[in-house]
Amino acid sequence: MKHLKNILGICLVSLSIISCGTKEIVIKAQEVDDIVTYLASDELEGRDTGSEGIEKAASYIENYFKDLGVKPYFDTYRDSFTVKGKNAFNVVGYLEGTDPDLKNEFVIIGAHYDHIGFAEPVGDDKIANGANDNAAGVGTVLTMAKYFAKTKSNKRSILFTLFSAEEKGLLGSKYLAETLKKENLNLYLMLNFEMVGVPLIDKDYVAYASGYERSNLAEKMNEYAGKKIVGFFPKAKEYQLFYRSDNYPFFKEFNVPSQTFCTFDFTNFDHYHKVGDSSDKMNFDHMAAFVNTFIPAVKKAVNADSKEIKLKPSK
């Protein structure tokens, strides 16, 4: 009876996970905090492409993948290219699908890990730490990688892609998209995460999707989640955000649903490309809830028997 009570207690703690006695796991706020706080620390000096700081960030991501057992997709984790004579590299982890047929189809889960390095000083502070932009997105991708690596619950293969040189004009994602297209990768979806470190205010959804009207992605994600987690944000269309993040090169090369999820609405965070974009401004309880809310929907997308998420005819 004592053991039964212990088991019941564990199940109650884990109600947000789906079920007791399975491999399902929950992402905790501290796990996201650890990732974002390191990547946005002064030690990394704003992770500018080609800098010593972004080298440290790449090594951190590589080690995170190694610890999880997520393999490199290429010969190494680094997908190398150059930007104005400087070495740059995307970091790409690979988790093979468990279904003998569906594993030949791929889902990309991505975020950029570079930032701008330095910004207009405030007092003695000149480091643009890039916590929300976009260490928060990296934290989301890495904790999703943890979930799928631990549960081994992905029928399709997943590439966990962390891009460099986004701030230089989406150069890292452009390079990787072109490389994968030349390899004839069978890409189903590209799901990108950008600036998700603080919650939306007075919205009836958790995040908005850029290019909302281009596919049924939002509709299917809400169906998979059993609640409205993705909404339409008019300013995303007005400012053409679909073309301004790392989803776009994959749409351009593969012509498949490739969209960005974001919680920055231009009113809920005042430190875009400023030295104030630091980890102490992040809401890690929100971030953990965000990841745990999105994982079941992403999992159903990855495991759907057919390609249910589709582009809509262009108008």
Side-chain angles (χ1 to χ4, degrees):
M1 193 70 175
K2 180 179 178 181
H3 294 299
L4 178 59
K5 288 181 179 179
N6 288 339
I7 293 170
L8 288 172
I10 292 169
C11 290
L12 289 171
V13 169
S14 305
L15 275 177
S16 60
I17 317 296
I18 305 178
S19 66
C20 175
T22 72
K23 292 182 179 179
E24 300 296 341
I25 62 171
V26 65
I27 302 303
K28 298 176 182 176
Q30 189 61 54
E31 295 175 79
V32 189
D33 187 335
D34 290 343
I35 296 167
V36 175
T37 298
Y38 175 71
L39 293 177
S41 65
D42 284 354
E43 178 187 345
L44 273 61
E45 295 187 323
R47 307 186 309 281
D48 195 7
T49 298
S51 69
E52 292 182 11
I54 202 166
E55 166 66 34
K56 293 178 180 178
S59 295
Y60 177 90
I61 295 166
E62 289 174 313
N63 288 330
Y64 196 95
F65 282 152
K66 288 176 186 175
D67 290 344
L68 292 178
V70 173
K71 298 177 180 179
Y73 179 70
F74 300 107
D75 291 338
T76 72
Y77 288 106
R78 300 193 183 196
D79 171 43
S80 299
F81 58 104
T82 58
V83 178
K84 294 183 177 179
K86 292 184 177 181
N87 293 328
F89 28 81
N90 304 311
V91 184
V92 185
Y94 167 52
L95 201 59
E96 185 178 21
T98 60
D99 185 275
D101 295 319
L102 290 177
K103 71 177 183 180
N104 297 311
E105 298 175 6
F106 283 76
V107 173
I108 291 176
I109 300 176
H112 74 90
Y113 74 107
D114 68 305
H115 195 50
I116 62 173
F118 300 97
E120 185 70 26
V122 175
D124 294 331
D125 187 5
K126 61 179 182 178
I127 299 173
N129 299 98
N132 199 26
D133 185 16
N134 187 33
V138 178
T140 299
V141 172
L142 292 187
T143 50
M144 284 190 177
K146 177 180 180 178
Y147 173 87
F148 284 106
K150 297 294 185 184
T151 60
K152 295 179 173 57
S153 57
N154 56 301
K155 292 182 180 180
R156 287 182 175 84
S157 295
I158 304 176
L159 295 184
F160 300 99
T161 57
L162 292 313
F163 306 109
S164 187
E166 188 269 357
E167 301 287 2
K168 308 294 186 187
L170 313 182
L171 299 183
S173 52
K174 180 177 183 291
Y175 182 82
L176 181 60
E178 290 174 351
T179 299
L180 296 176
K181 181 63 176 178
K182 289 175 185 175
E183 293 185 354
N184 293 315
L185 185 87
N186 186 355
L187 181 62
Y188 170 34
L189 294 173
M190 193 282 174
L191 308 177
N192 192 53
F193 293 89
E194 175 91 34
M195 297 186 71
V196 295
V198 295
L200 290 164
I201 299 170
D202 296 329
K203 303 288 194 299
D204 65 348
Y205 50 86
V206 177
Y208 62 86
S210 68
Y212 181 94
E213 69 285 355
R214 291 177 175 270
S215 77
N216 66 341
L217 174 66
E219 173 189 331
K220 297 304 294 186
M221 292 293 281
N222 293 337
E223 176 188 319
Y224 293 154
K227 58 185 176 181
K228 188 175 182 180
I229 64 172
V230 182
F232 172 68
F233 181 51
K235 280 190 177 180
K237 185 174 183 179
E238 177 186 345
Y239 294 162
Q240 296 189 313
L241 298 187
F242 178 75
Y243 301 97
R244 295 172 60 184
S245 195
D246 291 307
N247 60 284
Y248 180 65
F250 293 91
F251 171 77
K252 183 179 179 182
E253 291 296 328
F254 289 91
N255 196 37
V256 299
S258 308
Q259 290 165 259
T260 293
F261 299 108
C262 183
T263 66
F264 170 60
D265 68 359
F266 303 90
T267 68
N268 62 347
F269 191 71
D270 298 327
H271 307 283
Y272 175 71
H273 281 195
K274 297 178 180 178
V275 298
D277 186 3
S278 51
S279 58
D280 62 308
K281 308 290 195 314
M282 299 297 95
N283 184 329
F284 293 116
D285 288 331
H286 147 74
M287 283 197 64
F290 178 96
V291 175
N292 290 319
T293 297
F294 266 78
I295 280 174
V298 172
K299 180 178 176 180
K300 287 185 179 180
V302 169
N303 292 337
D305 290 337
S306 62
K307 294 181 177 180
E308 297 178 342
I309 299 171
K310 301 178 181 183
L311 294 175
K312 293 179 179 179
S314 57
K315 296 180 181 179

